[in-house]
Amino acid sequence: MTQGSEQIPSVQVRVKPIELLKYGLGIVLLCGCVWWLASSEEYVELLKKVSLGDFAVSMLFALAIFGLSGVQLFYLIDKIHQLRISWFDVFFLPPTMSLWGLIIPFQGATIYSLFLLKAKYSISLSGGLAISLFSYLITIVLTGVIGIGVSWYHGLHVVAWLLSGVMAIAPLFCWFGELFLEKLPLQSIAIVGKAQSFFLKAISPI
């Protein structure tokens, strides 16, 4: 390697039996959810209307989305924390997060990813939250840009233009929010000061 070049550290993680147990538990929970849904007559009737071809196409789309989500996680963790997660997690973490999103209705996927990244890669909770916020921010910006295009193409109401524009410039709100939060004199208040420090650490990488 040439002098002056930087080498990004790679975290070599072997898949331990306890990790297989975690993902195995996720599969068991998934099977339990499928069994619970299958016990519903309404759900069974709906499944009967879905052809095998439609199911296969849906599965391919789901796998593609999970794969893209895994690559996105790999990239964000690499850029924000200079760490490289294992390929096992690249492929299996997104579907497991999706499952926990069903088990815990309110941000279950985010909660699961925060604690997994902390336990497995020593990424702090604020650092894990930064990854989630960055991912959400990308989605919001893309939605805003697409919304502007759709609003222009279909000649939608000005409200649609306004909402899409606000979403497209969402990073600016994060930047102003960080500046505002930094100026608040909350360090002297124990719990509030810690919360301020936590959110600043989560927002600053964005």
Side-chain angles (χ1 to χ4, degrees):
M1 184 175 293
T2 59
Q3 187 177 4
S5 61
E6 295 183 358
Q7 183 177 5
I8 299 176
S10 178
V11 178
Q12 300 295 332
V13 181
R14 292 183 178 180
V15 181
K16 300 178 181 179
I18 187 64
E19 298 299 329
L20 293 176
L21 179 62
K22 292 178 181 178
Y23 287 105
L25 178 61
I27 294 174
V28 171
L29 290 172
L30 177 61
C31 292
C33 291
V34 172
W35 178 83
W36 177 73
L37 290 173
S39 63
S40 170
E41 294 184 2
E42 182 180 356
Y43 181 76
V44 172
E45 289 298 323
L46 180 62
L47 279 180
K48 290 180 179 178
K49 298 178 182 179
V50 179
S51 66
L52 185 60
D54 291 336
F55 179 77
V57 171
S58 299
M59 286 296 296
L60 288 175
F61 272 114
L63 290 174
I65 291 172
F66 286 143
L68 289 174
S69 298
V71 171
Q72 183 187 55
L73 279 173
F74 182 90
Y75 176 79
L76 291 178
I77 294 174
D78 184 9
K79 290 301 180 182
I80 296 176
H81 299 288
Q82 290 75 52
L83 294 173
R84 289 182 177 175
I85 63 176
S86 67
W87 286 107
F88 184 85
D89 287 330
V90 169
F91 289 107
F92 287 98
L93 183 55
T96 309
M97 289 172 58
S98 179
L99 174 61
W100 280 97
L102 295 174
I103 298 173
I104 305 176
F106 182 73
Q107 296 299 325
T110 300
I111 294 172
Y112 174 79
S113 66
L114 291 181
F115 285 100
L116 183 138
L117 293 176
K118 180 176 176 61
K120 194 170 182 179
Y121 297 99
S122 300
I123 296 177
S124 64
L125 293 179
S126 60
L129 184 60
I131 296 169
S132 297
L133 290 176
F134 207 114
S135 180
Y136 289 143
L137 194 61
I138 292 173
T139 303
I140 291 172
V141 171
L142 288 177
T143 303
V145 172
I146 294 173
I148 291 175
V150 172
S151 299
W152 172 79
Y153 183 79
H154 291 284
L156 299 181
H157 194 271
V158 66
V159 175
W161 282 87
L162 181 61
L163 291 177
S164 300
V166 169
M167 296 174 73
I169 61 172
L172 290 178
F173 292 100
C174 290
W175 182 67
F176 284 119
E178 181 183 1
L179 292 179
F180 176 74
L181 197 58
E182 285 179 343
K183 300 298 182 182
L184 294 178
L186 302 176
Q187 292 81 1
S188 59
I189 307 175
I191 298 179
V192 180
K194 290 181 179 179
Q196 180 189 28
S197 177
F198 176 85
F199 283 110
L200 281 174
K201 288 179 182 178
I203 297 175
S204 57
I206 303 176

